[in-house]
Amino acid sequence: MYNITLEINQRCNLRCKYCYLGDKNEKKMTYDTGCKALDIAFSEIKKHKDHKLSISFIGGEPLLDFQLIKDLVEYCDKKNESLKYEIGYSITTNATITSEEIADFLCDKNFMIKISIDGEKTVNDINRVNISGGSVYDKILENLPFFKDVQNRSNYLVQVTNVITGNNYSHYFDSLKYLTHNLGLKAIDTAVDVSYDWTEEQIKVIEEEVQKSFVYFAESIFKGEGFEWSLFQVLADMEKKPVKFFSCGAGVINSYVRTDGSILPCSGYLDKSVEIGNVNDGLNKEKVDFYKKIESIENEKCKKCELYDICPEKTCVLQNLAICNDMNTPIPVMCARRKFLYKLYKENIDIIKQINQKMTNSKD
């Protein structure tokens, strides 16, 4: 599978404090740039035996430029009429913009939808605010039935991304329970604000919050009220060894296209210094090969760690570069997270196996 992410715009109706784009320049991708990016993606699919293409639309807030998304999907579908590749679409939205036209389009094209909400009103309002600094929580709640309707009419669960930050970390368990039990959301993807300077005491609190969350998750599964939780997937895959060091394939099987048409390996680091091409000239083979050929990091402390062989944190070299200014230095909070999740895994191996079996049986 080849994955391409199109940064449709750098404009948004919110001003979330942890947005990875930082200050927006209010620019949007042109139709021509988007089409050229898709041409490159189609060219790359030919190298993959499964002929699968995943196209993600993000911003800013991509639905501010809904017509552009429609036009690019139409271009992609027409291009694929004779090729018959398997194409999947996804969109990440702040859940404040809706309409019947948007709903029908997302359903018709079987979009996977990702929405952002951190927890109940007081937690969500800490970081996710509108341009004036006001709450957007009520608007998101007003629109939730819209997204649940799209979910019911499509093949995908609406995925919720919530972010653990330096000002909401102590509420994580309550937030997870609220999102799943109170709001009935069934797919939770938890991220950590890696740009924050976490203390050992704060990380310990996060560990305790995740431990409580694991107990709640397990109880929910065994009650038949389960949900998908990204941190459980980390636990379930804990002892899997990466097939390749650079297992995410950023720049090789993944690319991130900015509004100006520059191509980067991923969203982990958006500096021009790591560009691997542009939509006019295509991918730069030498730059792509640079990442493809990375087989290890030069970090003796990591190599002495008992988790080295199974730890993917060391392989996220671009995010390491973004946060630590060094590809060879894993992000401290991600390193700490991996260690406390491994401890949780070792303490609950049997339960994790039972959950995996129950979840597998429920899908059959």
Side-chain angles (χ1 to χ4, degrees), residues 5 15 20 31 44 47 49 56 71 75 78 89 93 98 128 131 135 137 162 187 198 209 213 236 246 282 307 313 346:
T5 299
R15 290 296 181 268
Y20 74 99
Y31 175 71
E44 291 298 308
K47 304 173 185 177
K49 293 180 180 179
S56 301
D71 292 343
Y75 175 81
K78 285 184 178 179
Y89 298 107
T93 173
T98 59
R128 304 191 60 78
I131 294 175
S135 174
Y137 180 81
N162 73 325
W198 296 94
E209 291 290 302
S213 299
F246 199 44
L307 304 183
E313 314 307 340
K346 296 297 283 186

Side-chain angles (χ1 to χ4, degrees), residues 104 209 241 286 348:
D104 290 341
E209 291 290 302
K241 292 184 179 181
E286 288 184 2
N348 296 277

Side-chain angles (χ1 to χ4, degrees), residues 134-308:
S135 174
V136 296
Y137 180 81
D138 291 340
K139 184 62 178 178
I140 294 172
L141 237 60
E142 177 187 323
N143 289 341
L144 268 185
F146 166 92
F147 290 104
K148 288 184 177 181
D149 176 60
V150 174
Q151 173 180 270
N152 293 336
R153 295 161 58 190
S154 69
N155 296 330
Y156 298 110
L157 291 174
V158 170
Q159 184 184 90
V160 176
T161 297
N162 73 325
V163 182
I164 298 175
T165 66
N167 51 21
N168 71 15
Y169 65 96
S170 61
H171 303 287
Y172 179 69
F173 166 68
D174 289 336
S175 295
L176 180 70
K177 191 171 182 179
Y178 178 79
L179 292 171
T180 55
H181 180 73
N182 294 73
L183 298 187
L185 297 164
K186 295 296 183 181
I188 311 297
D189 180 24
T190 296
V192 178
D193 182 358
V194 294
S195 64
Y196 181 76
D197 188 15
W198 296 94
T199 67
E200 290 185 10
E201 291 78 12
Q202 289 173 325
I203 290 173
K204 184 62 180 176
V205 173
I206 295 175
E207 179 179 2
E208 292 167 355
E209 291 290 302
V210 170
Q211 287 173 337
K212 290 190 293 184
S213 299
F214 173 76
V215 173
Y216 165 67
F217 174 77
E219 289 175 347
S220 299
I221 291 292
F222 294 127
K223 288 179 182 177
E225 302 170 354
F227 54 92
E228 295 179 4
W229 182 39
S230 62
L231 290 187
F232 176 76
Q233 196 57 53
V234 175
L235 292 170
D237 295 338
M238 183 59 70
E239 293 192 311
K240 286 185 178 179
K241 292 184 179 181
V243 177
K244 297 179 180 179
F245 176 81
F246 199 44
S247 54
C248 76
V252 181
I253 60 173
N254 301 297
S255 61
Y256 182 101
V257 184
R258 307 218 68 181
T259 55
D260 62 3
S262 57
I263 305 174
L264 293 92
C266 68
S267 61
Y269 190 38
L270 299 180
D271 191 79
K272 281 189 170 294
S273 63
V274 297
E275 286 181 8
I276 55 174
N278 60 74
V279 297
N280 293 314
D281 301 321
L283 293 168
N284 183 308
K285 186 178 184 303
E286 288 184 2
K287 292 182 177 181
V288 172
D289 285 348
F290 170 78
Y291 297 106
K292 188 177 181 180
K293 293 176 181 178
I294 296 176
E295 296 181 350
S296 65
I297 58 172
E298 299 301 318
N299 188 312
E300 293 305 314
K301 182 179 179 181
C302 276
K303 291 178 180 179
K304 293 176 182 177
C305 177
E306 64 173 326
L307 304 183
Y308 182 80

Side-chain angles (χ1 to χ4, degrees), residues 32-70:
D32 182 61
T33 295
C35 291
K36 288 179 178 179
L38 291 172
D39 288 343
I40 292 173
F42 270 89
S43 178
E44 291 298 308
I45 302 177
K46 296 175 184 178
K47 304 173 185 177
H48 299 262
K49 293 180 180 179
D50 62 9
H51 288 167
K52 291 182 179 180
L53 173 62
S54 172
I55 303 171
S56 301
F57 297 95
I58 68 166
E61 172 47 52
L63 288 176
L64 287 172
D65 291 294
F66 175 57
Q67 186 60 50
L68 176 59
I69 295 172
K70 285 180 62 179

